[in-house]
Amino acid sequence: ILDVLKDKGVKATFFNLGQNAANNAATAQRLVNEGHQLASHSNTHPNMPELGRDEMRADISASLDALQSAAGVDTKTFRAPYGAFGEQQWKDAADLIDMNVLWDIDTLDWQRPGADAITQTVLDNAHNGAIVLMHDGGGDRLQDIEALPGIIDGLREQGYEFVTIKQLSAMV
């Protein structure tokens, strides 16, 4: 995925599990070195509303610490696993994070529907400010790698530009 993004001159935001960043610091550092945004997707991928306050805070804190250790990234940008982060989670963790980023285009790539289906989902649903959900870990990502060049080329043909979450939030 990083090779495709580099070849196409595109920057992206990667929401990594802290435990994955800790186990593969070289990749986390490469993300940052190549100009991508690295943010937290928790440490262990729990469903946050099912955790108690202290357990949730410990998981988020561990993820932030792991990103700092692996790649020197100090972030408060977060994507809760499953998008599950409600009012109580905000009350319990507002001092740890400053945003929980959701998405508006879900490629369902984890179901491995095929590169063509992943590409069409993005191209058919693109709009200004859209945030596309794709995965770079958690299993076989060959379909994502195959789909990515067509997604980038197709969106550029439609007149879209690519920005990180940090850049997108600065535009609002």
Side-chain angles (χ1 to χ4, degrees):
I1 290 173
L2 288 174
D3 291 342
V4 172
L5 294 174
K6 186 175 184 177
D7 181 58
K8 295 288 187 180
V10 170
K11 304 301 182 221
T13 301
F14 288 82
F15 291 90
N16 282 18
L17 294 179
Q19 65 184 6
N20 290 354
N23 291 332
N24 197 344
T27 300
Q29 190 61 61
R30 179 181 172 193
L31 288 168
V32 173
N33 290 346
E34 293 184 4
H36 303 288
Q37 182 180 355
L38 181 59
S40 173
H41 188 46
S42 79
N43 197 51
T44 61
H45 208 272
N47 187 336
M48 294 293 172
E50 293 178 358
L51 301 181
R53 178 188 183 278
D54 293 343
E55 188 179 9
M56 181 193 66
R57 289 179 59 83
D59 190 90
I60 293 170
S61 293
S63 74
L64 300 175
D65 291 346
L67 296 180
Q68 175 67 41
S69 294
V73 170
D74 183 22
T75 185
K76 294 181 96 176
T77 303
F78 181 71
R79 171 174 283 157
Y82 318 106
F85 203 80
E87 183 178 348
Q88 187 60 51
Q89 289 70 51
W90 270 113
K91 288 178 182 177
D92 293 343
D95 60 318
L96 299 176
I97 62 171
D98 58 14
M99 69 172 70
N100 176 44
V101 179
L102 298 177
W103 56 90
D104 16 27
I105 301 173
D106 188 349
T107 63
L108 300 175
D109 60 343
W110 57 274
Q111 294 178 352
R112 294 198 293 260
D116 290 341
I118 293 169
T119 301
Q120 266 330 115
T121 296
V122 176
L123 297 181
D124 289 348
N125 294 288
H127 59 87
N128 286 334
I131 298 173
V132 178
L133 175 63
M134 295 179 76
H135 295 82
D136 67 332
D140 180 353
R141 295 292 148 228
L142 291 176
Q143 291 180 5
D144 295 278
I145 295 166
E146 184 182 337
L148 202 49
I151 290 170
I152 293 168
D153 293 344
L155 290 174
R156 281 187 170 147
E157 287 172 13
Q158 292 181 32
Y160 292 106
E161 297 177 17
F162 297 86
V163 296
T164 64
I165 294 299
K166 183 176 181 178
Q167 292 169 318
L168 181 63
S169 65
M171 293 177 185
V172 180

